Amino acid sequence: MAVEKKLSEKTLKKVYNRHYQLLGCFNYERQMSTGYAWTMMPALRELYADDPAEMKKGVKRHLEFFNCATTPSPFIVGITCAMEEQNASAEPGEYDASAITSVKTALMGPLAGIGDSFFWGTFRVIGAGIGAPLAVAGNFLGPLLYFLLNFIPSEIVRRLGFKIGYEGGSSFLTRISADGTLQKLTEAARIMGLIVIGAMIPSMVKVNLAAVLNINGAEIVLQSIVDQVCPYLLPLLLTFGCYRLLNKKISGTAIMIGLLVLGVAATALHIL
């Protein structure tokens, strides 16, 4: 019979304090993944202390791509802690650990938009609007007010978000796991993630043919022909090609270097 595992208050405090370092090791391949794994390490050590194999799986799980505004991120961290508790308490094969990654992926996009809008686009602007004139006038309240107007709302959201994510997430996940809703939500999150990525391809991946054929004085723009066949076909094929390379365990860094070399060479040859 599985033994229910719960994180101690001391460990939860360590996890919360570590989240301030989410951006401490940012990289272009997996964004905040290293910071997220570092944040979760105290929880993973406590939950999987007697199972090194599961411990390694947990570390790898949280080294996957993650990118979100830092202020609402503790909410995701709290839910992740609750889900890791369930995974550690379940019998082998009873809990789908990929659901942890799916929930993180489903939440980080919407919360990033909310976090950036409020804390970068609202409170920071208000703080600068109030603090800057005072600072220019030589009043020490200028930088102080700017700091407080940014820090206080952010800290409230961070602490409440972590508490709600962990406590609410734990009971909520227990309830939806029992009736099968979690599995449905996980699958829905995966589908939504694929849809979002698919929608991002034409706006973020740019591949345009520069070659122009001259046949009997008539110029034929190859890019326009490709667009008539299927708009954004080349960005789609490039994305699928990168995805195939990733499935073959080729690192994202190697793929980016290859794309850089390919882009320079194709431009020099007037292909792109």
Side-chain angles (χ1 to χ4, degrees), residues 19 22 35 57 83 85 87 101 182 185 187-188 202 240 245-246:
H19 97 272
L22 277 171
K57 290 180 182 178
M83 296 186 77
E85 285 180 346
N87 185 52
T101 303
L182 180 60
L185 287 175
E187 186 63 23
F240 281 158
L245 292 175
L246 288 171

Side-chain angles (χ1 to χ4, degrees), residues 117-208:
S117 298
F118 278 94
F119 296 97
W120 283 101
T122 302
F123 292 115
R124 186 171 66 94
V125 174
I126 293 174
I130 295 175
L134 292 173
V136 170
N139 193 324
F140 78 95
L141 287 177
L144 179 62
L145 287 175
Y146 175 77
F147 171 75
L148 292 177
L149 287 171
N150 280 274
F151 175 78
I152 293 176
S154 175
E155 192 63 21
I156 291 173
V157 170
R158 288 173 190 265
R159 293 185 178 276
L160 287 179
F162 184 75
K163 182 181 178 65
I164 294 171
Y166 176 69
E167 295 180 355
S170 181
S171 59
F172 174 69
L173 290 169
T174 300
R175 186 170 65 255
I176 64 175
S177 295
D179 60 14
T181 305
L182 180 60
Q183 184 178 359
K184 296 176 183 178
L185 287 175
T186 301
E187 186 63 23
R190 289 173 181 165
I191 294 172
M192 180 176 291
L194 291 173
I195 293 173
V196 171
I197 291 172
M200 290 169 62
I201 291 173
S203 62
M204 300 190 69
V205 182
K206 304 295 183 183
V207 182
N208 293 308

Side-chain angles (χ1 to χ4, degrees), residues 1 35-36 40 54 58 61 64 77 101 150 190 193 195 219:
M1 184 176 178
Y36 203 97
M40 289 299 301
E54 284 298 319
R61 185 160 53 242
E64 296 180 10
V77 174
T101 303
N150 280 274
R190 289 173 181 165
I195 293 173
E219 290 188 346

